[in-house]
Amino acid sequence: MSDRTSPPTRHISARPVVAVRGESLEVRPDRIIGEAPLEMRAFGPGQDPVAVAVTMRTPGHEDELAVGFLRTEGLIDGPEVVAVRSGDPATLSQPDDTVIVQLSRPFDDSAVAERHFVATASCGICGKASIDELAIRCDPLPDGPVVARSVILALPDLLRVAQRAFDETGGLHAAALFTPSGELIAIREDVGRHNALDKLVGSQLLAGALPLHERLVMVSGRVSFEIVQKAAVAGASILCAVSAPSDLAVETADRLGVTLVGFLRGDGFNVYSHDRRIDLRDLIGWD
């Protein structure tokens, strides 16, 4: 597993820039977020590692990203992860651009061939299976917690304060995990929204903390089908976002039982599905 006490390799770099501000010009160093391809592989007993997907990501937390991706895409259950390692430094110039997940059971590579995974930092997985297929392999969500409106409204500021790399570069998405009372449990950042969420889910899988039934997930950008899928597979019943959801995201959240909150900013938000988990009694006159 990666060392959580040291900063991620190639996470942020410094480059000179020409900064124009009004009538002034200045050449100064600027901190820029890293982006590099990551090949994810998996294997079980008696197998050679199988290439599963390649994604553009922000370097760092590669083990979490790989196991989070495998879990949220339904390729593993989680407990069968034995070890995660980087590529061979003797043959690769950047060993951490390859991550290999070892399993205690054989890895079914037929699922990879059938689904033709292609991942990018911006859009997630292309050639996605239908909502019907997702509903089959996604465990039903329990009722989950009921969260106060004040907690929901506080999440964007709590997320923003915790975004250390964003403060340095301004170029990252974030996914964070909170308790129903608003306590931050974990946060992960990446150039890709889906990568940030996979890293977050992977961190909890490796910590033995899945499913996330009693937790809230907060993401910094918009909500796509992939984001709802990954949150639901991880067991999170409440998903909040600063920006808008797509229509497919709303349909998926409704089908899978996810409470989806969007446009969460300032003193307002929209609840698109399963609003029973947000305590709004003070607004509708109920005791």
Side-chain angles (χ1 to χ4, degrees):
M1 307 304 175
S2 62
D3 181 3
R4 299 295 183 266
T5 64
S6 60
T9 305
R10 300 180 292 140
H11 189 55
I12 296 173
S13 62
R15 299 288 179 88
V17 299
V18 177
V20 177
R21 300 293 184 271
E23 301 299 318
S24 66
L25 182 150
E26 177 187 12
V27 178
R28 58 174 175 78
D30 193 23
R31 296 178 67 77
I32 304 172
I33 197 64
E35 183 177 20
L38 176 69
E39 181 181 22
M40 295 175 276
R41 303 177 185 173
F43 74 102
Q47 294 179 313
D48 292 328
V50 174
V52 178
V54 176
T55 184
M56 297 300 296
R57 98 294 186 192
T58 300
H61 304 297
E62 282 78 16
D63 55 349
E64 295 176 353
L65 175 54
V67 298
F69 174 88
L70 291 172
R71 178 65 189 96
T72 61
E73 293 299 326
L75 299 175
I76 64 172
D77 295 324
E80 69 268 42
V81 175
V82 173
V84 186
R85 68 175 189 267
S86 298
D88 184 359
T91 59
L92 299 174
S93 61
Q94 295 290 354
D96 59 345
D97 282 349
T98 300
V99 63
I100 304 168
V101 181
Q102 181 180 354
L103 307 174
S104 60
R105 61 161 177 80
F107 179 66
D108 182 9
D109 60 354
S110 65
V112 176
E114 289 172 359
R115 296 172 67 183
H116 305 292
F117 287 118
V118 178
T120 69
S122 60
C123 69
I125 306 306
C126 304
K128 188 67 65 178
S130 68
I131 298 177
D132 287 344
E133 188 275 334
L134 174 59
I136 291 172
R137 62 184 176 85
C138 184
D139 292 334
L141 294 176
D143 288 342
V146 176
V147 181
R149 180 168 60 98
S150 59
V151 170
I152 298 296
L153 290 172
L155 293 181
D157 287 341
L158 295 172
L159 178 72
R160 183 66 181 83
V161 167
Q163 282 190 265
R164 296 180 180 177
F166 183 90
D167 285 340
E168 297 187 49
T169 66
L172 283 178
H173 288 289
L177 194 66
F178 293 91
T179 67
S181 62
E183 177 186 358
L184 177 66
I185 297 173
I187 182 171
R188 293 294 183 266
E189 294 177 285
D190 199 277
V191 290
R193 293 184 308 276
H194 67 287
N195 285 344
L197 186 50
D198 274 340
K199 287 180 178 180
L200 183 69
V201 172
S203 73
Q204 300 307 294
L205 186 154
L206 294 173
L210 292 185
L212 306 177
H213 289 159
E214 296 298 317
R215 299 292 182 252
L216 288 70
V217 171
M218 174 76 188
V219 296
S220 60
R222 63 182 178 85
V223 180
S224 62
F225 166 83
E226 288 89 358
I227 297 298
V228 175
Q229 167 197 309
K230 292 175 184 297
V233 171
S237 56
I238 301 177
L239 173 62
C240 302
V242 172
S243 194
S246 69
D247 58 353
L248 187 58
V250 174
E251 182 181 349
T252 306
D254 186 61
R255 175 76 178 273
L256 299 181
V258 176
T259 297
L260 179 57
V261 176
F263 286 111
L264 176 51
R265 57 187 72 165
D267 62 354
F269 54 84
N270 296 338
V271 185
Y272 293 89
S273 58
H274 300 283
D275 58 20
R276 67 183 184 279
R277 298 189 183 101
I278 311 298
D279 188 351
L280 303 174
R281 291 176 297 176
D282 61 322
L283 299 180
I284 58 179
W286 289 2
D287 295 329

